[in-house]
Structures are given as structure tokens and as C-alpha cells.
Amino acid sequence: MSTLTQSLKSGNWRALVACFLYFDTGFTVWVMLGPLAPFIGKDIAMTPAQTGFLVAVPVLGAAILRVTLGNLYQAFDGRKIALMGLALSAIPSVVLLLMPGTPSYTLLLVLGVLLGIGGASFAVALPMAGSNYPPKVQGLVLGLAAAGNIGAVLDGFMFPGLAEHYGWAHAAGAALPLLGLAALALVFWAKDQGVKSGSAPRAFTSFIISVFGLVALVLCVHAGAFGEGKAGVLLLPVLGALLAIAVLPRHYRGVLAERDTWVIMLVYSITFGGFVGMSSYVTTLLISLYGMPRIEAGLFMSLLAFLGALVRPIGGLVADKISGVRALVLLLAAISAIDLIFAAWMPPQGAGITLLVLVYVCFGLGNGATFQLVPQRWQGKTGLMSGIIGAAGGIGGFYLPVIMGIAKESTGSYQMGFATFGALAALAFVLVVALRTHWMSWALPKEVAGGAVLAGGVAHVE
């Protein structure tokens, strides 16, 4: 405990608290449509595919916007960027709270993009927290800042109960006091000591273009501009990613020519994509499969999110000991097996809940193990790769609820959804096994000192 206290005193602990609150509340608003979706469905007629698309839009928004928001942080004061991010992510709650009548499905899609700005907060919160501390305690400091993903736990505990008593639109307003608390902490405590480079006006323009461009893409997909039915929805992440790449400086693009980049992106789209995507959809899944009451389903979603967040640092610690490569081989095999068992069996409630708990443990451990590898493979480019790999995780999180909704609507069952993700996890397993010998040459650092490597497990992505 004395070591922890000394480490926190070696920098600005108030700035760390402010960054944690910013990240925590951003994560809370990011996935709030998930536990609210069953209540929204009572007022707005939605097919299963439309429900999946609705809860997936904020996930995709964060995936795309975190790249341009992180680019803006490199050129401008993080404290001011964070306050802007809070203000933008508060707009949906304000609109839903004050708007008379029931909002349209189209409006909810637009608001979903703005909620994604909350999920993109890690691109500012983590480096700003680290800038206030010396290098020797970065692992601890960034790990504490990254613990803000525990904000997802609040969604299941808070929003379903409020929606039951006051209506889902008013329940969304409960996020505003949390955002206000984070804003006060940023105003009075936050400080950005990071070195800045590049053009702030250009970076800000890129961020604004990505926000409005993503809104336009979402509305075009909803209107069927890219094909009727599911084709446009499945194409949306590709179009969003191309938009983000197009407005970024060229140095962001070079690593996309590397094979290892794409394999790590696939892995993280399964581990973190599974965590955030299932957190957005599991409430609907439990109600549909097992007839679980809406409030109980929301509470169970919170428990799963808490479990996944809790074991993430353990995944980084295990990877420090045996390497992220060996850890991922085991975890990807387990994720694939669990998904395929679910698809083949469609188990009763007790067994189904057990499998969901197991897969969340694997998601959390896999998230930590993946980022143990990043600073070893891409030394000097960890921040850049965190944005790119983190975006891939968000895109995976978008596809999960979309595919689940499409499977349910098309076949009346979630079997094809679980089978699809089981097959993708199996593909990632095969690729990591095939590259294992090559990866092991750089997977373990030459010298492991304290928690330095653990920073790779939790520090650079939520």
C-alpha cells in the first residue's frame, strides 16, 4: 500500500482522478442504448435486425471517432478536448429528456453516433493521465485510468430501473449528472502535460468531418442507399473506416501494410469486440432466449461487464509470464469452442448463463493479453497502434449485435450468429498458431521491470 501511495504522489493524482471520471462516464453513455433497447422497443416498432443496428451504431461511432479524436489530442490541449467530448456526448440525453413525444428511430440513430464520442474518450483520457506522471509508474497510472471501462456496469444497474418507473427517454437523462461531475473534475483538476505536434486546426477539421460523415453514412444505410436489406449495414464499418483513414495524416496508414497489424486487429475485434458488442446486446438476448425480466437482464449485463473488466489486468499479467502469444492461443480456442457449443446446443438458461460467464472471462483475459504484445512488436508506435487496433475492436463490437439481430430475424434463432463468431475466433486461432514461432521472437520483453509491461495490457485501450 505504501508503494501505491508513493507512486500516486509522484505525479498529479487529481489529474488522474479527473481522467478516470471522464473515461468512466464516457463508457457509461456509450453503451446505454443496450439496456434501454427492450424499453425502446415497446414504443418504437423495430425488427430484431433494427434493434441490433440501433445498439451497434454507438459502438461503431466510438471505433471510428477514437482515431480522429486521438489525432486531435496529439495537436491540442487534452483538457479542452475532453470537455468538448463530454458536451457532445451529453446531447443525446438532453434531447431525449426535453423532447415531447416519442423520438423517431432515425433520430435515435443520429444520437447513437454522438454517444460513440463517449466511447472514444479513451483516446484522450489515457494519454492525458499518463502525461502527469513519470515513466516509471506509467503501468500503474494508465491501468487505473483504463479501469474507467467499469462505467459499463452502471448501465445495467441504473437505466432499466429508471426506465421502468419514468420511461426510457427520461432515464437517459440520468447520465447528465455523471457527465457534469466529470466536467467539474476536468475543469478544476485535469492538466495535460503531453508534448503536442501537428496542426490543431487540421486535426479538429478531421474530427468534425468524421462525425458528420459518420452520421451521413448511418442515415444512408438506414435509407437503403448502399443496398436494400442487410448489405448496407454490413458495409457500414468498411465505409466508416475508409472515412477515418482518408482524413488522417499519412503516417497513420503505413502500418496497415503489415501482416501482423491485420492479425492483431482480427484478434482484438473478437476479444474487445465481443466484450462491448455482447454488453450492448446481451440484455436483448436474455429476454428473447429465456424470457428474463428486463430489469434482471440489465443487472446481469452489469455483472458480466464487471467480470470482463475485472479480469482484464489479469490477462495482461498472465501474458507477462507466458507471453501474449501463448495466452491468446488458449483463449481464442476457448472463445471459439464456447460460441460453437452455444450454436449447436442453444442451451437452457442455467447452462446458457454459465457459457456467457465463461466467454466474458475469456474476452477480458484476451483484451489484456493482446495489448501485452503491442509495445513489443510496435516499439515507438504504441499510441498509433492503440488507435488502429482499438478501432478494429469497436468494429467487431458493431458487427456482433448486427449479426445476432440478422440471424434472429432471418432464421428465428441465434444459432447462425454464434456459429459465425465461433468460426471467426477459430480463424484467429489458426492464424496466431501459424505465426506463433515468428511472434515469439519479439513477444516477451528482454527485461521485465515491475509493471512496465502490464501497461501494454491495460494502458492503451479501454
Side-chain angles (χ1 to χ4, degrees):
M1 182 62 70
S2 61
T3 302
L4 173 62
T5 302
Q6 291 174 1
S7 297
L8 292 177
K9 286 182 177 180
S10 67
N12 186 345
W13 67 267
R14 290 181 177 85
L16 173 59
V17 171
C19 292
F20 170 85
L21 290 174
Y22 168 44
F23 190 19
D24 183 81
T25 54
F27 216 99
T28 299
V29 299
W30 181 23
V31 296
M32 75 177 183
L33 289 183
L36 288 178
F39 299 90
I40 296 173
K42 296 294 183 180
D43 293 335
I44 301 175
M46 296 185 292
T47 65
Q50 288 175 323
T51 301
F53 185 50
L54 177 65
V55 302
V57 164
V59 180
L60 178 66
I64 303 305
L65 299 176
R66 68 183 55 181
V67 182
T68 52
L69 195 66
N71 181 51
L72 179 58
Y73 174 80
Q74 298 297 325
F76 194 61
D77 180 60
R79 178 171 163 273
K80 294 178 180 178
I81 297 172
L83 289 170
M84 177 193 71
L86 286 177
L88 293 174
S89 58
I91 291 175
S93 294
V94 173
V95 170
L96 293 175
L97 188 62
L98 300 180
M99 182 179 180
T102 302
S104 67
Y105 180 79
T106 301
L107 176 61
L108 289 179
L109 292 178
V110 174
L111 297 179
V113 174
L114 296 178
L115 291 176
I117 297 174
S121 59
F122 98 97
V124 177
L126 271 62
M128 183 163 60
S131 74
N132 287 272
Y133 280 85
K136 64 179 181 180
V137 294
Q138 288 292 299
L140 170 65
V141 170
L142 297 179
L144 291 172
N149 64 8
I150 208 77
V153 176
L154 294 176
D155 290 88
F157 281 107
M158 182 171 64
F159 290 114
L162 292 173
E164 185 76 28
H165 289 90
Y166 303 106
W168 60 270
H170 288 92
L176 293 176
L178 300 176
L179 294 170
L181 176 63
L184 288 174
L186 287 170
V187 168
F188 291 105
W189 287 353
K191 193 171 184 180
D192 184 10
Q193 305 274 25
V195 177
K196 305 300 175 182
S197 62
S199 169
R202 178 180 175 180
F204 182 76
T205 300
S206 296
F207 173 69
I208 295 300
I209 290 173
S210 65
V211 173
F212 283 97
L214 192 55
V215 169
L217 287 174
V218 168
L219 293 181
C220 286
V221 167
H222 177 52
F226 301 113
E228 297 296 330
K230 290 88 177 176
V233 175
L234 298 176
L235 186 62
L236 179 58
V238 177
L239 297 174
L242 291 175
L243 170 66
I245 292 171
V247 298
L248 286 180
R250 289 184 179 179
H251 69 271
Y252 266 83
R253 305 169 193 170
V255 292
L256 293 176
E258 300 177 17
R259 175 190 59 189
D260 292 349
T261 298
W262 289 96
V263 177
I264 288 288
M265 287 169 64
L266 174 62
V267 170
Y268 203 63
S269 71
I270 292 167
T271 59
F272 182 73
F275 172 80
V276 71
M278 190 60 78
S279 295
S280 296
Y281 198 73
V282 73
T283 304
T284 298
L285 181 73
L286 292 170
I287 293 170
S288 176
L289 272 182
Y290 304 124
M292 187 177 290
R294 291 177 293 182
I295 293 179
E296 289 183 17
L299 291 174
F300 189 70
M301 170 264 181
S302 289
L303 293 176
L304 289 174
F306 177 76
L307 180 62
L310 187 67
V311 301
R312 177 172 185 149
I314 299 174
L317 183 62
V318 170
D320 285 345
K321 303 297 183 183
I322 67 173
S323 88
V325 179
R326 294 190 180 102
L328 286 174
V329 166
L330 297 175
L331 292 169
L332 289 169
I335 291 170
S336 178
I338 292 169
D339 282 338
L340 293 176
I341 289 171
F342 219 115
W345 185 19
M346 293 309 292
Q349 182 170 337
I353 287 176
T354 300
L355 289 174
L356 287 172
V357 168
L358 291 175
V359 80
Y360 258 82
V361 171
C362 292
F363 288 154
L365 294 174
N367 290 335
T370 301
F371 268 81
Q372 185 269 346
L373 296 173
V374 175
Q376 314 309 326
R377 172 61 176 81
W378 291 278
Q379 295 181 17
K381 298 180 181 178
T382 305
L384 167 63
M385 290 306 301
S386 295
I388 292 174
I389 296 169
I395 289 173
F398 169 85
Y399 274 123
L400 189 148
V402 167
I403 296 298
M404 287 294 187
I406 290 174
K408 178 64 174 177
E409 184 176 324
S410 301
T411 67
S413 170
Y414 292 108
Q415 283 181 292
M416 288 305 298
F418 280 105
T420 298
F421 292 104
L424 287 172
L427 173 61
F429 166 79
V430 170
L431 290 173
V432 174
V433 169
L435 294 171
R436 179 174 55 183
T437 302
H438 166 60
W439 281 16
M440 284 302 296
S441 65
W442 49 260
L444 284 173
K446 293 183 176 62
E447 182 178 347
V448 178
V453 179
L454 186 57
V458 299
H460 300 290
V461 75
E462 81 286 25

